[in-house]
Amino acid sequence: MTIVDPTTTTAWATLTGLKTAYTPDLRAAFAGDPERAARFTRTCADLYVDLSKNLVDDHILEALVALADEVGLGDRRDAMLSGERINVTENRSVLHTALRRPAGDSLVVDGTDVMPEVHEVLDKIYAFADKVRDGEWVGVTGKPIETVVNIGIGGSDLGPVMVYEALKPYVHERIQCRFISNIDPTDSGEKLSDLDPETTLFIVASKTFTTLETLTNARMARDWLWRRLIEQGAIEDTEEARKGAVAKHFVAVSTALDKVADFGIDPANAFGFWDWVGGRYSVDSAVGTVVCVAIGKENFADFLGGFHAVDEHFATAPWAQNVPALMGLLNVWYVNFFKAASHAVLPYAQYLHRFAAYLQQLTMESNGKGVRADGEPVTTETGEVFWGEPGTNGQHAFYQLIHQGTQLIPCDFIAMANTAYPTKDGDADVHELLLANFFAQTKALAFGKTADEVRAEGVAEELVSAKVFEGNRPTTSIMAPALTPSVVGQLIALYEHITFTQGVVWGIDSFDQWGVELGKQLAMQIAPAISKDDAALEQQDASTRGLIAYYRSQRS
Ligand code: F6P
C-alpha cells in the first residue's frame, strides 16, 4: 500500500495558505451569504447535517476535497469495502460493512463469498433472540429469562451498552440487560448482587476469548451462578448439574469457538464472527446479540439497515456531498491547521448518554497513532481526544471552556426532532426546551457576543471583558427525525467512516491497536509482585515498588 504524505500534497500547501489568510468571522460569513446555511447543509440517509457553523468557506472546502483525492481516499475506501487487507499490521481485511449488507448480496473475498456466512450467523442470533424473548429459552428450573448479562470489554462492551441505552424504548418489557466489563470486582459485585440466577442468562462476548477482564468476570459469573443455584436448592452440587446450568445460562460470542468450548460453553450456544471485524467495529456483528435479544430481530434488522444506508452514501456520494468524508476532512482541518487537540460530541438526547464513551474507543483506538501503516512516522498531528456528555448536563459542567477557554474545541451537536416522552411543563413542550438549548448553544458558539453588545446591556465596564463571547467556535449540527434503531445505526456508521477518513489522510492503519498491548503484558508481570512474590517485586522500578509497598502496608 502506498501512503501519500498529506503534508507534501498540493492541497496541503493550498490549505496552509488559506489558513494563513483566513480570519474566522462567522457573523460576516452568514451576513454576506444568505445561502450559507443551505449551501453547507447536507443529508445522509435520515441525518440532516448542518456544516455551516464550521470555520470554512468554499475555497477551504474545495481544498479539503482535493486533499481527499490526493491522498487516495476513494481507492482506500473501495479497498476496504471490497475486502482488501488494508489492516496491514494484522494482515486482515476490514469488512464490518459486510455485516450490514442485505441477504442475497455477494462479496467474494479471497475466493469465498462471505455474505452467506454473515446471514447464517445473523439467522442463528435471530432464532436465539426469539427464543429468549418468547420465554421458550428457560433456565435450569424452567423459568423464562428476565435478565441478560453481557460480559465483555472494549468493543465487546461499549457498543452493546451504548446501543442498549440508546434504544431503551424498544427493549422487551420482561427483559433487562446489564453489562459487566471492568475487572474491578465491584463491577460484577454490584451488577449481580440482586439478580435471581434462575432467570439470568450470561452472554460472554470476546472476539479473542483470551481477554483477562472478560474471562475473569465470566469465571466469577459462573461461580456465582453455581453457588446461588445450589444455595437456592435449584440444582444439586454435582459436576453434572453444574454443566447443565452452564448450558442453560451461558452463551458466547467470539471468533475463537475452540476457546469457548474450553470454557465449558456448548459451541451450539455460541455465535461466531470473523477476524475481519475489528473489536470497536463489532456491535453490528454477533457482539450485538445482547442488543438483538433486547430489541428483537425486526428492530435489529432496522439497526443494520441504518448502517447500510450510510455505507452506501459513503461509498457513492461525491466528496463534496459525502457527509462522513466531509466531517472527517473538517476534523483534519481543525487538528492540523488549528491545532485542535480535542473534539466534543454533545448529544441532546439522554438516551445517547454513552455515545461519547463508545466513540472514544472507535476514534482514539483507531487513530491514536504516531506511526503510519507503512511503519514510517506520521508527518503531522493525529488522533484528537473525543469526549462529551449529553446536553444540557454538559452545559452546566464544561461548556464554559468551550465558549470562553483558550483552546479551539470543535463540537458535534446531535438532536432528534421527536422524543420518546412527549411531555408538557405547563404550556411548554419540554422536548422543545431541550431543542432550544441545542440551537442556542450552537448559535452562541458561532456568533458570540461583542463588547458593545455586552455594554448595551448596561454591564459595568470592568465586567465587560469577562462577559464577551468571541464566537467563531465551530460546530456541526446533526438532526434526525427520532432515535430509532435505524438512526442509531446511521450515527455509528457515520462516525466509523469519519474515523476512517481521518486515518486515510494521516496514512494510519485505523484497524490495529498495538498501543494497548504493553500495559496488558506488564500487568501480568506485575501481578505476582503485588501479593507475595518478593523476587518479582525487586525487579520493578522504584516508583512501582513504592506503590506496591504502600498497597501491602494498607491492605486489610
Ligand atoms: O484491549 C483492546 C482490545 O483488543 C479492543 O480492541 C477490544 O475491543 C477489546 O480489547 C476486547 O477484546 P476481546 O473482544 O477480544 O475480548
Side-chain angles (χ1 to χ4, degrees):
M1 176 189 311
T2 316
I3 304 285
V4 176
D5 174 352
T7 65
T8 64
T9 59
T10 308
W12 199 272
T14 307
L15 286 164
T16 307
L18 288 169
K19 171 67 176 67
T20 309
Y22 182 66
T23 308
D25 189 347
L26 287 172
R27 282 190 182 218
F30 274 84
D33 178 6
E35 296 303 312
R36 181 179 171 94
R39 283 192 312 107
F40 286 91
T41 294
R42 306 281 184 275
T43 53
C44 169
D46 294 327
L47 308 177
Y48 173 95
V49 182
D50 178 358
L51 303 170
S52 66
K53 296 195 191 88
N54 280 286
L55 303 183
V56 284
D57 57 24
D58 293 311
H59 302 297
I60 294 166
L61 221 51
E62 268 166 39
L64 288 170
V65 165
L67 178 65
D69 284 329
E70 282 192 77
V71 298
L73 178 61
D75 287 347
R76 288 286 293 283
R77 173 199 60 195
D78 296 345
M80 173 174 75
L81 297 177
S82 64
E84 273 183 46
R85 293 177 188 238
I86 63 163
N87 176 356
V88 285
T89 71
E90 295 180 308
N91 190 27
R92 288 176 183 167
S93 304
V94 174
L95 273 178
H96 45 277
T97 49
L99 299 167
R100 48 258 195 162
R101 287 173 71 148
D105 263 20
S106 158
L107 179 64
V108 178
V109 179
D110 296 334
T112 308
D113 187 350
V114 300
M115 292 312 301
E117 269 186 85
V118 165
H119 280 275
E120 204 179 297
V121 173
L122 205 49
D123 288 343
K124 189 173 166 185
I125 295 167
Y126 287 169
F128 168 71
D130 275 350
K131 273 192 185 170
V132 177
R133 292 166 64 82
D134 295 348
E136 198 186 314
W137 181 294
V138 290
V140 273
T141 52
K143 292 186 182 168
I145 300 303
E146 289 175 4
T147 307
V148 181
V149 181
N150 189 80
I151 301 177
I153 196 165
S156 301
D157 169 72
L158 289 162
V161 184
M162 184 276 281
V163 176
Y164 174 71
E165 292 293 324
L167 295 177
K168 272 274 172 69
Y170 295 83
V171 172
H172 191 288
E173 57 188 15
R174 193 191 71 244
I175 297 169
Q176 59 148 334
C177 300
R178 293 191 183 179
F179 298 84
I180 297 175
S181 55
N182 201 330
I183 200 166
D184 183 336
T186 58
D187 195 12
S188 60
E190 283 291 336
K191 306 271 171 58
L192 296 179
S193 64
D194 61 341
L195 291 184
D196 177 355
E198 293 177 47
T199 56
T200 300
L201 175 70
F202 293 95
I203 300 179
V204 185
S206 174
K207 181 176 169 183
T208 55
F209 229 74
T210 57
T211 303
L212 176 73
E213 292 88 340
T214 300
L215 290 189
T216 305
N217 278 321
R219 280 189 295 269
M220 291 197 303
R222 194 177 53 184
D223 285 348
W224 171 87
L225 179 82
W226 287 334
R227 193 179 63 251
R228 293 287 305 276
L229 285 175
I230 292 165
E231 278 168 12
Q232 289 180 203
I235 62 167
E236 300 286 312
D237 189 0
T238 65
E239 191 67 17
E240 202 55 28
R242 285 170 186 245
K243 263 196 190 162
V246 169
K248 297 273 189 187
H249 293 269
F250 271 81
V251 301
V253 169
S254 187
T255 57
L257 298 182
D258 50 336
K259 296 195 175 75
V260 169
D262 292 346
F263 182 86
I265 297 174
D266 183 347
N269 293 337
F271 306 96
F273 60 114
W274 305 271
D275 71 359
W276 42 256
V277 183
R280 53 196 175 274
Y281 300 86
S282 67
V283 65
D284 47 343
S285 73
V287 167
T289 299
V290 60
V291 174
C292 187
V293 171
I295 67 174
K297 65 184 177 198
E298 288 84 8
N299 287 321
F300 198 79
D302 286 349
F303 173 60
L304 296 181
F307 280 91
H308 184 63
V310 172
D311 293 345
E312 291 280 280
H313 171 94
F314 184 55
T316 57
W319 297 141
Q321 301 301 323
N322 196 307
V323 174
L326 288 173
M327 288 181 71
L329 292 165
L330 283 169
N331 289 354
V332 168
W333 173 237
Y334 294 125
V335 170
N336 297 131
F337 295 89
F338 288 80
K339 307 302 172 196
S342 83
H343 189 113
V345 179
L346 308 164
Y348 280 65
Q350 182 61 26
Y351 285 127
L352 287 175
H353 70 106
R354 293 295 291 163
F355 195 56
Y358 163 77
L359 283 184
Q360 286 182 330
Q361 187 198 17
L362 174 66
T363 57
M364 297 200 272
E365 198 166 80
S366 296
N367 288 338
K369 290 162 193 169
V371 169
R372 304 190 313 196
D374 61 2
E376 295 298 318
V378 295
T379 53
T380 186
E381 298 84 359
T382 64
E384 71 272 45
V385 173
F386 279 78
W387 57 286
E389 279 287 325
T392 59
N393 293 7
Q395 289 174 207
H396 294 272
F398 51 76
Y399 277 37
Q400 165 67 41
L401 179 133
I402 301 176
H403 281 285
Q404 289 188 314
T406 56
Q407 296 178 25
L408 183 84
I409 302 173
C411 305
D412 298 344
F413 280 69
I414 303 172
M416 302 298 134
N418 293 288
T419 175
Y421 286 94
T423 310
K424 292 254 184 192
D425 173 31
D427 286 341
D429 179 317
V430 181
H431 185 62
E432 288 181 0
L433 290 176
L434 172 72
L435 291 180
N437 277 277
F438 170 104
F439 302 137
Q441 290 296 328
T442 62
K443 191 168 174 160
L445 287 163
F447 306 124
K449 194 185 220 182
T450 65
D452 284 345
E453 286 167 347
V454 176
R455 282 189 195 102
E457 289 174 351
V459 171
E461 193 56 33
E462 64 272 23
L463 289 179
V464 169
S465 61
K467 297 195 172 193
V468 166
F469 289 70
E470 285 172 8
N472 299 313
R473 313 254 158 163
T475 62
T476 294
S477 298
I478 303 171
M479 295 194 71
L483 199 59
T484 60
S486 171
V487 165
V488 173
Q490 292 173 37
L491 286 170
I492 298 173
L494 170 67
Y495 280 90
E496 286 177 346
H497 299 318
I498 290 171
T499 303
F500 174 75
T501 299
Q502 291 180 250
V504 170
V505 173
W506 292 326
I508 282 173
D509 179 345
S510 298
F511 303 100
D512 62 11
Q513 56 283 318
W514 298 107
V516 298
E517 291 306 318
L518 179 60
K520 288 188 198 173
Q521 283 166 13
L522 291 181
M524 298 315 288
Q525 278 172 26
I526 291 172
I530 298 176
S531 49
K532 47 189 174 298
D533 186 337
D534 289 335
L537 183 61
E538 275 316 298
Q539 286 164 19
Q540 307 303 326
D541 62 272
S543 168
T544 307
R545 278 203 308 273
L547 291 165
I548 292 173
Y550 174 80
Y551 162 71
R552 286 186 179 188
S553 73
Q554 293 298 315
R555 71 182 162 193
S556 45

